[in-house]
Amino acid sequence: MRYNWKLPIIVICVVLISILGMTFIVQGPKNTAISYEEQIQEAKSGIEIQEKRRADLIPNLVETVKDYDQHEYQTLMDVVNARGTSGQTAQEITTQIAAIAEAYPELKSSDNYKELMNELSVTENLIANYRGDYNRVVKEYKQSVRKFPNSFLLGLTGYEVQNYEYLSYEGNEAAPAVGNLFGNR
């Protein structure tokens, strides 16, 4: 009779541990699915942040490049007009052209265009990377909720599977149009 009180305690402990273990086993896939949902929302937010960055930054860069290009063009025209060649001999014109070539201000517009193109490339690459991350997490989520026993256990817990769609890599109509920066003057 000494061991009679131990047997019920052992049985109760085994039952509680089994119930607790089953709870963790059943809730595990649900917790994983919820974690994937949060990752999907984070990836979607990252895409939106990069698209807003693009919408804010690119038009400002384009206007800056256009303004500097116009300034440089006007400066160049002013220098050419200031060194007009009316009534001069061919030798004087040749000498003057050589002097003008040495005296022209250094042109910087090409650097601005290079920087603009670089920024466009970096921005579009960032957006593509964020879209790739989003699609990767959506794929992992879909695989996780469809696998057995996860699908069965998720059904037991009443979890409602979300229908996330993959993003395409086609051009985005929200992308700002850079247009023709070398327009007619």
Side-chain angles (χ1 to χ4, degrees), residues 58-131:
I58 301 305
N60 289 332
L61 283 174
V62 168
E63 286 305 312
T64 301
V65 170
K66 279 183 174 180
D67 289 347
Y68 191 84
D69 187 46
Q70 183 60 36
H71 165 74
E72 196 168 82
Y73 173 79
Q74 192 58 49
T75 301
L76 189 59
M77 290 296 104
D78 290 346
V79 169
V80 168
N81 291 335
R83 299 187 179 170
T85 59
S86 62
Q88 296 177 333
T89 67
Q91 180 60 34
E92 291 172 331
I93 292 172
T94 305
T95 304
Q96 193 169 20
I97 288 174
I100 290 172
E102 292 175 8
Y104 273 127
E106 183 180 347
L107 302 179
K108 302 276 186 187
S109 287
S110 64
D111 292 340
N112 291 341
Y113 286 109
K114 287 177 189 174
E115 183 62 31
L116 173 61
M117 296 311 293
N118 182 54
E119 193 59 46
L120 284 169
S121 176
V122 166
T123 300
E124 292 305 316
N125 286 339
L126 282 170
I127 291 172
N129 288 340
Y130 277 93
R131 285 181 180 172

